[in-house]
Amino acid sequence: MTPFSMYRRALLLAAVIGVPALALAETPATPGASVYFINLKDGDAVTSPFKVQFGLSGMGVAPAGVEKPKTGHHHLIIDTTLSSEELKQPIQADAKHIHFGGGQTETTVTLPPGQHSLQLVLGDWSHIPFDPPIMSPVITITVK
Ligand SMILES: [Cu+2]
């Protein structure tokens, strides 16, 4: 099968299952863009519930569903990381993968006492990480 006919099959499949064809592709990252925790750093100790502020440099924040160049929305990944396969797909939504599709830049997190890892991953309008991914280092915090 030629690459072109494979592409046509992918478009057809996307039409059949109702996914916009563009959602199948990752959005190129803006060179130099980064996400980071504003108010937390690796090794911090906090009392739950605690505030988490999301920093973004080199790009803008836009709500999910709004396809605007050089923008994305934040995702807070708790006690897990995304595999290389997961970094190419829409980020799942559950207690460990929190979407801020409204364009929020901070949240309040409640976690049980103990050590927890946190990471920020920027997603495009369709919740897919950028290529290459724009994500913070994983930090470990202790909830007292
Ligand atoms: Cu999302």
Side-chain angles (χ1 to χ4, degrees):
M1 202 184 302
T2 66
F4 181 67
S5 68
M6 284 179 67
Y7 179 60
R8 286 193 50 172
R9 278 174 60 107
L11 282 184
L12 186 64
L13 183 66
V16 168
I17 63 177
V19 177
L22 285 172
L24 296 172
E26 296 164 84
T27 302
T30 301
S34 64
V35 287
Y36 54 96
F37 292 105
I38 293 173
N39 65 325
L40 290 174
K41 61 181 189 305
D42 191 47
D44 276 357
V46 299
T47 304
S48 184
F50 57 97
K51 186 184 270 199
V52 183
Q53 295 173 305
F54 318 139
L56 172 60
S57 168
M59 288 179 71
V61 173
V66 177
E67 194 175 4
K68 199 175 164 195
K70 298 186 179 183
T71 68
H73 65 276
H74 290 287
H75 300 82
L76 181 61
I77 312 298
I78 303 174
D79 291 335
T80 187
T81 54
L82 299 176
S83 67
S84 54
E85 212 41 54
E86 287 172 324
L87 284 169
K88 298 185 173 102
Q89 305 166 10
I91 296 170
Q92 62 195 92
D94 57 31
K96 294 183 168 188
H97 306 78
I98 306 174
H99 292 243
F100 297 91
Q104 303 95 316
T105 56
E106 64 173 48
T107 192
T108 299
V109 174
T110 302
L111 285 172
Q115 285 202 334
H116 298 278
S117 72
L118 300 175
Q119 186 181 30
L120 287 173
V121 179
L122 197 68
D124 70 7
W125 62 282
S126 65
H127 312 278
I128 301 176
F130 288 85
D131 178 26
I134 299 170
M135 52 192 182
S136 75
V138 176
I139 64 169
T140 301
I141 58 160
T142 301
V143 176
K144 290 182 272 192

